[in-house]
Amino acid sequence: MARSPSEYEDHLERSRAVWDQRSDSYGRSERELAAIRETAIDHLGLERGDRVLEVGCGPGVNLARLRSDVGEHGAVVALDYSPEMVADADTRVEGHGWENVEVRLADATQATFDRGFDAALATLSLSLMPDVEATVETIARALAPGGTLVVFDLRPVPSGPASVVNPLVRRFLRWYANWNPDGDVLASLEAAFDECTVVETYAAGIGYVAVCRSG
């Protein structure tokens, strides 16, 4: 469902407010979800010298692993639209002295890049975007032919008896993260990429990792 310009801006501003507020308390989430994030990055199959894009980088919890995988001759570009999250990520980059890691304050639905990327990562971010479809299209355009996008995200229970809890799941995600109830991440991925497969699921399918590849 397309959003009006005012609805888009309202969602973007709520997200900035929510994640600016949560920037100081992200450590617990970082620890609890570390294993799933690592699994998602494993699926990228990064090599030394690769260029990788991260969409919705938060305070930079994935940057150390991404930078380690691409090495000093690769490049990491990370986007987020929360000023506080970007500040935290910048502090992390500066603390490590990573000269080939760039953090940008940007709306991922409109971001542009001078060069293409070998891979892209989005962890717990696409379903929060004010326009999921436009964000996915931005990533697809940014990837070089044959590039890989890996997504770790959350959704209501897809099927089965556990789906009875979906009203509560939707309410929690909306409250905690400003989740976009009008966005369909998997449908957007399947429309934009030649190949897209859910390769991991967690908690009755609420959490999932999807791997998508361009032609």
Side-chain angles (χ1 to χ4, degrees), residues 132-141 143 149 185-196 212-215:
V132 174
E133 184 177 353
T135 303
V136 170
E137 290 171 352
T138 295
I139 298 170
R141 288 193 300 270
L143 285 172
L149 165 64
V185 173
L186 289 176
S188 297
L189 293 172
E190 290 167 358
F193 287 87
D194 298 317
E195 175 188 344
C196 194
C212 305
R213 292 187 173 86
S214 60

Side-chain angles (χ1 to χ4, degrees), residues 53-158:
L53 170 68
E54 183 174 13
V55 174
C57 67
V61 297
N62 297 317
L63 295 181
R65 169 68 191 277
L66 294 175
R67 200 277 182 184
S68 175
D69 283 1
V70 303
E72 62 181 8
H73 298 298
V76 180
V77 176
L79 310 180
D80 205 283
Y81 52 56
S82 160
E84 294 298 327
M85 289 291 191
V86 167
D88 289 347
D90 271 331
T91 297
R92 195 176 300 229
V93 170
E94 292 169 4
H96 287 277
W98 295 324
E99 296 183 356
N100 59 336
V101 179
E102 177 187 358
V103 181
R104 299 183 189 176
L105 178 64
D107 176 356
T109 66
Q110 303 174 25
T112 58
F113 310 95
D114 295 333
R115 294 179 56 192
F117 295 90
D118 301 290
L121 177 70
T123 63
L124 301 175
S125 61
L126 288 188
S127 63
L128 314 183
M129 297 295 171
D131 189 331
V132 174
E133 184 177 353
T135 303
V136 170
E137 290 171 352
T138 295
I139 298 170
R141 288 193 300 270
L143 285 172
T148 298
L149 165 64
V150 174
V151 174
F152 164 42
D153 220 314
L154 303 177
R155 59 183 173 179
V157 179

Side-chain angles (χ1 to χ4, degrees), residues 147-215:
T148 298
L149 165 64
V150 174
V151 174
F152 164 42
D153 220 314
L154 303 177
R155 59 183 173 179
V157 179
S159 61
S163 61
V164 69
V165 305
N166 279 343
L168 293 177
V169 172
R170 291 187 179 95
R171 190 176 305 166
F172 172 78
L173 292 175
R174 176 71 169 161
W175 166 77
Y176 182 82
N178 200 35
W179 181 74
N180 182 353
D182 300 322
D184 189 329
V185 173
L186 289 176
S188 297
L189 293 172
E190 290 167 358
F193 287 87
D194 298 317
E195 175 188 344
C196 194
T197 306
V198 174
V199 295
E200 311 279 353
T201 59
Y202 310 92
I206 293 175
Y208 65 91
V209 173
V211 178
C212 305
R213 292 187 173 86
S214 60

